[in-house]
Amino acid sequence: MMLNRSPILYPSLIHHVFWNHKKQFQYSVDTYGHWVLFAVEGGSFHYGIGDSEGTAQMGDVIVCPPGIDFHRDVIHAPSFHFIGLSLGFIPGEAVAGKEAEQDVHHRLAASAYKPAVAHKERFADNLRYFKRQDEAAAEIDQRSYWQNHALNDIWLFCLQSIAAGVVGEDKESADPLMEQARLYIQQNAYKDMSMLVLADELGISPVQLTRRFTRSVGMTPSRYLSHIRLEQAKSLLVDTHLNLEQIALACGFNNGFYLSRVFTKLMKVSPSAYRKTNRV
């Protein structure tokens, strides 16, 4: 089957824009001359591609092939990555590459153009990397290289999903909405984030969020957020020479004093003692 020859297809980034709480699309329908990928971090919108339609919300990926009308209508101000890409072929295999591209198109249509994404933590890391590279003052060539690396990873997830015939949400998740909540926390852990905002993004009350998240993940959303931040703080303590104030700001804490208090309470050791003990 041509899709099994997927190495002859490789994505190349054309553009990337992150839209935060977009209240409405500039056009209710658009047609692109290249492949586009919408990776949703929050909110939701209704979409229609070809004969398929559905709802895109937190944690979803929508892939639209070139030359097809893409209808969309905001439901709840979405935050999403808008990624344009082209698919390249290994020299000398252009015919096989075009056939493979058509096969990908047909399989995407069977999944309503919304491939389920496994490895959600790795997927979230890739999206965070896109935003970091957009904000970084790195050389253009270097930024392009690493963004294309992340894009290849995301594209591979999509190919794996449609090759396996997986449609819609991750079926291993007992509570898909809480899987979306977990993804949101991972993607925004190092910023000033609010559980009230998260609950609003999901369309549920803060009490419902806490109860359902605890039942699904095994800890409260706030505890999960602290866990992610502390893991990052541990890494920075061991792998860098940053001071506590710098580490606190890099991990989403207000200041070094607060980080020290939380770290000592949960880890049963002070940050300085942890750094001294674990640094090789």
Side-chain angles (χ1 to χ4, degrees):
M1 185 174 296
M2 194 58 63
L3 186 60
N4 290 334
R5 299 187 65 200
S6 57
I8 67 174
L9 289 179
Y10 56 93
S12 181
L13 182 68
I14 297 175
H15 60 75
H16 167 261
V17 179
F18 178 71
W19 292 99
N20 190 29
H21 290 89
K22 192 171 180 62
K23 295 182 179 180
Q24 65 180 28
F25 291 101
Q26 185 175 0
Y27 304 106
S28 60
V29 58
D30 208 343
T31 306
Y32 302 96
H34 51 264
W35 292 78
V36 295
L37 185 152
F38 283 58
V40 188
E41 287 195 3
S44 59
F45 63 91
H46 181 268
Y47 72 93
I49 302 175
D51 295 329
S52 302
E53 61 179 286
T55 300
Q57 53 191 359
M58 189 188 302
D60 286 340
V61 174
I62 308 299
V63 181
C64 182
I68 297 182
D69 288 346
F70 187 172
H71 299 261
R72 55 279 179 100
D73 183 41
V74 168
I75 298 174
H76 183 76
S79 299
F80 61 92
H81 296 261
F82 173 43
I83 300 173
L85 60 107
S86 61
L87 293 179
F89 317 123
I90 292 178
E93 296 188 337
V95 174
K98 285 295 184 181
E99 292 176 358
E101 188 171 354
Q102 284 299 315
D103 191 51
V104 170
H105 184 168
H106 293 320
R107 288 177 176 270
L108 278 169
S111 70
Y113 299 93
K114 185 170 71 170
V117 177
H119 310 293
K120 291 186 179 294
E121 292 187 14
R122 185 170 161 185
F123 177 66
D125 283 340
N126 283 321
L127 295 183
R128 278 198 298 269
Y129 199 83
F130 262 104
K131 283 196 285 191
R132 284 203 302 270
Q133 288 300 313
D134 277 351
E135 296 168 357
E139 293 294 332
I140 294 177
D141 289 345
Q142 183 181 22
R143 183 170 69 244
S144 177
Y145 173 83
W146 287 110
Q147 286 185 329
N148 271 290
H149 179 77
L151 174 60
N152 270 269
D153 218 30
I154 294 171
W155 184 252
L156 179 60
F157 292 152
C158 294
L159 288 183
Q160 290 174 335
S161 172
I162 61 176
V166 180
V167 179
E169 297 167 333
D170 186 352
K171 305 211 182 294
E172 294 182 359
S173 175
D175 189 336
L177 194 64
M178 292 304 99
E179 183 61 21
Q180 294 172 24
R182 193 165 70 93
L183 179 63
Y184 181 94
I185 293 174
Q186 290 170 359
Q187 293 172 335
N188 296 276
Y190 309 133
K191 299 184 292 187
D192 183 17
M193 64 168 291
S194 165
M195 295 304 167
L196 294 176
V197 172
L198 173 56
D200 184 62
E201 291 279 2
L202 296 171
I204 59 178
S205 71
V207 172
Q208 289 175 314
L209 170 62
T210 298
R211 289 176 178 172
R212 289 176 61 174
F213 193 95
T214 302
R215 185 166 58 246
S216 178
V217 179
M219 64 181 76
T220 66
S222 296
R223 180 67 183 84
Y224 185 69
L225 174 62
S226 294
H227 169 74
I228 294 175
R229 288 175 170 175
L230 284 177
E231 287 300 308
Q232 178 72 352
K234 286 161 61 178
S235 296
L236 294 178
L237 283 167
V238 174
D239 298 331
T240 75
H241 294 285
L242 297 175
N243 61 41
L244 196 60
E245 190 72 16
Q246 292 171 319
I247 292 175
L249 296 178
C251 296
F253 293 95
N254 291 333
N255 51 60
F257 174 78
Y258 184 65
L259 167 59
S260 179
R261 188 173 66 178
V262 173
F263 193 101
T264 303
K265 178 180 179 181
L266 296 178
M267 300 301 301
K268 310 303 180 186
V269 63
S270 70
S272 59
Y274 182 87
R275 169 175 267 175
K276 183 177 180 179
T277 301
N278 290 278
R279 174 169 285 178
V280 176

